[in-house]
């Protein structure tokens, strides 16, 4: 730049000092142009023009470089801006999706029906199960219409009362098919015990026949009885409660005065026996396959936890028929909570709302069981009242009869 300025100053000086050369005084008075100076000036202008052209070219190149740099900066800025905007949009979309999923999950936890609740709805039919068991109790009474596959037991249960010695002989004949090891050790080989029973030993004299079902010693308890177990339980009730103490009268005998009194005594005696036999007959009725449970079980077993427990504890009769007794169904509903590890897994998967609902259902189940316990206590109190009345009659009847005879004798009566 300094060199260019010097060239310009030099050209200016030449123009001012000697651009025109004046001729001597005798000349015409017009200036004469100096060719040498003009040539030098022209060379100088040419040099200055080249320098200016170089400067302009350099300025153009610099402008292009600066323009390119500005364009690149603008493009990079645009890219950064687009990247930031895209990241922000993705973050917003992610936050919206997470919030939506959270709300969906919250709604699912609050309103979804767990599979375990299916067994709860199954238990909702227990009232119908109990009603069916109550009807069954009427059928297992004498002449109630219950199916009995053993003809000798059917005759003993549904036949008229016979003399005590005949009744005991019939019981011995039936017991021959239930002979156990104790019997065989005592009188084995006799008609009353030809051989020890391996399938149902002692079934007509053991209380197990009403609670775990007749079967071999050490058998697994059955809460739903087979027909063979039902027959054995009926014979146990016959031997334990309904054994005969006197024969029934014939029609002609019942028409006499003494016969009428005999029938009255039999009726009073049967009323006491009915109370004594009621708990046993109810136990048997609750152990008979209950058809109402079929649909309830199908619904309950849709729960994996309930199904897993069913596979563990269901009786052979329930597995083969798809029907449980009232006892087994109730035990299944209670046990699948308390004794089922799969149910504990269900509880862990429940949220607060479903856990609260489950607590309410379990509380309601306990209330139902307490109600049944209350009814059993009431029934026991009634039976105890009858037993007390019978004991009072046994104590006071001879005393009152003797006193009555004394009073009648003083009054002149018989």
């Amino acid at each position: 730049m300094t060199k260019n300025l010097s060239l310009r100053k030099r050209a200016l000086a030449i123009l001012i000092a000697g651009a025109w050369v004046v001729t001597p005084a005798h000349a015409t008075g017009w200036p004469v142009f100096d060719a040498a100076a003009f040539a030098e000036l022209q060379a100088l202008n040419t040099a200055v023009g080249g320098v200016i052209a170089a400067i302009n070219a350099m300025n153009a190149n610099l402008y292009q470089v600066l323009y390119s740099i500005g364009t690149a900066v603008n493009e990079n800025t645009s890219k950064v801006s687009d990247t930031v905007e895209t990241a922000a949009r993705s973050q917003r979309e992610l936050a919206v999706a997470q919030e939506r999923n959270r709300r969906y999950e919250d709604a699912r936890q609050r309103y979804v029906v767990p599979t375990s609740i299916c067994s709860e709805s199954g238990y909702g039919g227990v009232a119908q199960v109990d009603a069916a068991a109550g009807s069954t109790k009427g059928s297992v009474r004498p002449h109630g219409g219950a199916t009995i596959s053993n003809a000798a037991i059917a005759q003993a249960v549904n036949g008229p009362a016979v003399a005590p010695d005949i009744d005991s002989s019939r019981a011995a004949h039936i017991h021959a098919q239930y002979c156990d090891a104790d019997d065989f050790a005592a009188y084995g080989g006799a008609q009353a015990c030809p051989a020890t029973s391996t399938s149902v030993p002692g079934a007509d004299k053991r209380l197990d026949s009403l609670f775990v079902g007749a079967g071999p010693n050490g058998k697994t308890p059955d809460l739903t009885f087979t027909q063979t177990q039902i027959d054995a339980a009926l014979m146990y009730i016959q031997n334990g409660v309904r054994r005969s103490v006197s024969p029934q009268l014939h029609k002609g005998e019942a028409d006499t005065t003494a016969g009428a009194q005999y029938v009255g005594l039999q009726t009073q005696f049967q009323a006491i026996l009915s109370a004594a036999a009621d708990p046993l007959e109810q136990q048997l009725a609750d152990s008979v396959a209950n058809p109402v449970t079929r649909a309830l079980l199908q619904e309950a077993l849709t729960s994996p936890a309930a199904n897993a427990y069913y596979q563990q504890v269901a009786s052979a009769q329930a597995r083969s028929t798809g029907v449980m007794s009232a006892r087994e169904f109730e035990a299944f509903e209670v046990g699948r909570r308390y004794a089922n590890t799969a149910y504990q897994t269900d509880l862990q998967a429940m949220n607060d709302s479903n856990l609260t609902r489950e607590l309410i259902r379990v509380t309601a189940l306990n209330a139902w069981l307490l109600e049944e316990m209350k009814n059993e206590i009431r029934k026991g109190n009634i039976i105890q009242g009858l037993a007390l009345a019978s004991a009072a009659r046994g104590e006071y009847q001879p005393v009152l009869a003797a006193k009555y005879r004394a009073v009648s004798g003083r009054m002149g009566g018989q």
Side-chain angles (χ1 to χ4, degrees), residues 185-389:
Y187 48 87
Q191 292 182 357
C193 185
T196 301
S197 173
T198 57
S199 58
V200 284
D204 60 340
K205 65 177 182 178
R206 295 180 183 178
L207 186 61
D208 285 352
S209 295
L210 282 175
F211 283 90
V212 299
N217 295 325
K219 66 177 291 294
T220 301
D222 293 319
L223 301 184
T224 301
F225 291 173
T226 63
Q227 185 59 54
T228 299
Q229 291 172 325
I230 293 172
D231 292 351
L234 285 171
M235 194 60 203
Y236 174 82
I237 296 174
Q238 179 68 23
N239 286 334
V241 178
R242 294 193 179 279
R243 60 183 179 274
S244 178
V245 294
S246 62
Q248 286 278 28
L249 298 181
H250 299 294
K251 181 177 179 180
E253 296 172 332
D255 285 337
T256 64
T257 301
Q261 294 174 350
Y262 186 89
V263 170
L265 288 173
Q266 281 274 13
T267 301
Q268 294 169 350
F269 176 65
Q270 292 296 331
I272 299 297
L273 288 187
S274 176
D278 185 81
L280 290 79
E281 291 168 348
Q282 184 65 65
Q283 178 74 5
L284 177 57
D286 288 342
S287 303
V288 174
N290 193 316
V292 178
T293 63
R294 184 186 302 276
L296 300 178
L297 275 177
Q298 290 175 350
E299 184 176 8
L301 295 182
T302 58
S303 164
N307 190 26
Y309 185 69
Y310 176 86
Q311 299 302 327
Q312 295 176 13
V313 303
S315 64
Q317 184 72 0
R319 292 174 184 273
S320 62
T321 63
V323 177
M324 282 182 172
S325 67
R327 283 178 61 207
E328 185 171 11
F329 186 75
E330 186 175 84
F332 169 73
E333 282 299 318
V334 175
R336 74 164 192 85
R337 294 177 177 84
Y338 175 71
N340 185 15
T341 55
Y343 175 73
Q344 307 304 320
T345 303
D346 283 347
L347 288 181
Q348 292 175 358
M350 292 182 185
N351 68 349
D352 293 342
S353 298
N354 282 329
L355 281 174
T356 301
R357 295 188 186 100
E358 183 69 9
L359 178 60
I360 293 172
R361 286 188 290 269
V362 172
T363 302
L365 171 60
N366 290 334
W368 178 272
L369 297 177
L370 288 175
E371 173 67 15
E372 288 193 337
M373 186 180 298
K374 174 185 175 182
N375 292 334
E376 292 298 322
I377 293 174
R378 181 180 294 160
K379 184 186 297 184
N381 290 339
I382 292 173
I383 295 173
Q384 289 180 2
L386 292 172
L388 177 61

Side-chain angles (χ1 to χ4, degrees), residues 7-21:
L7 291 175
R8 290 183 180 181
K9 288 181 179 180
R10 183 179 177 187
L12 182 59
I14 292 172
L15 288 174
I16 294 174
W20 298 98
V21 178

